[in-house]
Amino acid sequence: MQVIRWVQRRIRAGGFTFAVLWACALSSQEGLIYQDPYVDFLWEAPLNDSEVASYEGPVEALLRGFETETGGVIEPGTHARVALKVYTASGAGLSTPQGLVSALADALERRGYQRENIFIVDYDTRGLRATGYIGPLSVGSYRFDGMPVIALDEGEHFDKIWFYDNALPPRRPRSFSSSPILAEERSNILSEEERRSYLPTPLFLETDFWINLPMFTDHPVMTVNGALVNASLLAVSNNERFLKSRATGPVAVAEIAAIPEIREKWLFSIVSLDTFQYIGGPSFNAHYTRSEPRLWLSTNPTALDALALDRINQARKEMGFDAVNLKHPLFEYAEALGLGYADDSRLQVVQVAP
């Protein structure tokens, strides 16, 4: 029989200090599950267009709405540093809007953060370069709008002591061995390094908090490529093995996103619906995109992904494509590990005006 006990902890993220509950399952494998006190809220602001200036008012309104509801103030804490996890995996056509990033940096500056201590993070150097967050090779600049940019795939920001261990083998080229059975047996013997996906330490070491800035597309394995995937697989090394696996991909997303060190420093997610893709993702295809003039802020990434999937399915039905099954393991695992819930009808949508 599994017994649950609750452990209250005080979490400090910048100027916020609030109580959260961790459910500790006393069983053969004891674990802690984060319980978010603001999981039922979604703040929504209208967006006029995708120009830089148009994000200023809506972003400020979202932050003020969050501060008002939580009773806290976003201000520099112990480290006085903030990480912004952007999404660039789909290329320039569907990436975290630069206007949103700049407006968020401006809002954080108004709250006391120095711009050089607000840094942009993503995994893939090519994606960051293709979307304009880092300069061309001829320039070599790793700064955007006065903020440092970190490309995790360059390796220097991973630490050998912080990793997610999973026995799923990395992707390998097809074997041309004359003995395919022996080759398959050898491929199942993984080295310690092959089992590991190193964690994005810039998000949780020496930062007050980090903010997730995903975009939404459909995904052949995860159904939706959004807040949960951007905060997990698209922030760790050795990730292609999960992005292609229906069996272990959704598990890895939930387990990585729920790692306490990552979850404690994850303040919230902000997402622009200026562009989202309903089929053919995550590779960008402009023929299959929709747009809504709104910004969302929430601490509930699972509900954000469920809301996005509702819109993806609606677009697919209108265009004559099959809808995606809403009962997907990604949501089940995320809910089980305290990453919110997929029943978006429980959300309290708080409309805020610039």
Side-chain angles (χ1 to χ4, degrees):
M1 177 179 179
Q2 180 172 274
V3 179
I4 302 293
R5 63 181 173 88
W6 296 91
V7 181
Q8 182 169 335
R9 299 177 63 177
R10 303 297 295 181
I11 301 300
R12 182 171 179 82
F16 282 91
T17 303
F18 49 86
V20 299
L21 293 177
W22 293 79
C24 185
L26 301 181
S27 62
S28 58
Q29 292 186 333
E30 183 172 299
L32 294 176
I33 300 176
Y34 181 90
Q35 302 296 306
D36 181 358
Y38 309 116
V39 70
D40 293 330
F41 292 91
L42 181 143
W43 289 268
E44 180 178 282
L47 183 65
N48 292 328
D49 56 54
S50 58
E51 295 300 317
V52 173
S54 298
Y55 282 99
E56 293 284 351
V59 167
E60 181 62 36
L62 289 175
L63 296 191
R64 287 182 180 175
F66 178 78
E67 290 171 324
T68 298
E69 183 62 42
T70 59
V73 177
I74 298 175
E75 62 184 14
T78 303
H79 302 291
R81 302 180 75 207
V82 177
L84 308 180
K85 173 59 177 74
V86 298
Y87 174 81
T88 66
S90 296
L94 184 58
S95 61
T96 303
Q98 293 182 355
L100 171 58
V101 174
S102 295
L104 181 54
D106 291 343
L108 291 171
E109 275 195 296
R110 288 191 290 271
R111 287 160 172 78
Y113 283 95
Q114 300 296 313
R115 208 170 189 88
E116 61 267 22
N117 291 327
I118 304 168
F119 50 97
I120 297 167
V121 180
D122 200 12
Y123 181 75
D124 186 52
T125 304
R126 289 179 299 177
L128 286 165
R129 181 167 288 117
T131 55
Y133 282 106
I134 59 177
L137 286 170
S138 59
V139 176
S141 173
Y142 277 63
R143 296 186 74 83
F144 171 78
D145 196 14
M147 293 171 280
V149 180
I150 292 174
L152 293 169
D153 65 345
E154 295 184 348
E156 61 187 84
H157 295 283
F158 291 130
D159 190 309
K160 293 294 185 182
I161 69 171
W162 295 101
F163 60 88
Y164 169 70
D165 187 286
N166 189 294
L168 183 68
R171 293 186 67 196
R172 289 189 172 93
R174 193 175 186 91
S175 172
F176 292 97
S177 168
S178 59
S179 179
I181 295 178
L182 290 178
E184 179 66 22
E185 288 177 352
R186 284 196 297 270
S187 71
N188 289 330
I189 303 173
L190 300 181
S191 69
E192 189 175 79
E193 192 69 14
E194 288 177 316
R195 293 174 56 98
R196 294 179 175 181
S197 288
Y198 288 100
L199 303 182
T201 55
L203 298 188
F204 59 86
L205 292 182
E206 300 182 3
T207 56
D208 291 342
F209 57 87
W210 66 279
I211 296 172
N212 190 28
L213 300 171
M215 297 296 283
F216 292 130
T217 77
D218 66 304
H219 195 282
V221 173
M222 311 299 173
T223 70
V224 60
N225 173 39
L228 287 167
V229 171
N230 194 54
S232 56
L233 297 190
L234 298 183
V236 301
S237 68
N238 196 13
N239 56 18
E240 287 191 6
R241 58 192 178 139
F242 303 122
L243 291 167
K244 304 291 184 180
S245 173
R246 294 180 183 275
T248 60
V251 177
V253 168
E255 289 183 341
I256 292 170
I259 290 171
E261 288 75 15
I262 291 177
R263 192 70 179 101
E264 284 184 8
K265 294 291 184 78
W266 183 357
L267 191 58
F268 46 63
S269 299
I270 299 178
V271 60
S272 170
L273 272 74
D274 179 65
T275 306
F276 63 91
Q277 186 168 319
Y278 58 89
I279 198 166
S283 297
F284 174 63
N285 190 321
H287 293 292
Y288 302 122
T289 61
R290 290 284 177 95
S291 177
E292 291 186 20
R294 69 186 79 242
L295 284 178
W296 285 337
L297 183 154
S298 181
T299 64
N300 186 339
T302 308
L304 287 176
D305 284 356
L307 283 168
L309 192 55
D310 287 342
R311 284 160 167 77
I312 287 170
N313 274 338
Q314 181 62 33
R316 291 168 76 110
K317 291 176 183 177
E318 291 174 2
M319 300 304 294
F321 297 108
D322 291 337
V324 177
N325 185 2
L326 295 174
K327 303 250 182 223
H328 190 271
L330 174 67
F331 297 117
E332 178 185 349
Y333 298 141
E335 290 179 10
L337 293 179
L339 294 165
Y341 48 76
D343 182 7
D344 51 66
S345 66
R346 294 167 52 185
L347 283 177
Q348 301 179 45
V349 180
V350 181
Q351 302 284 348
V352 295

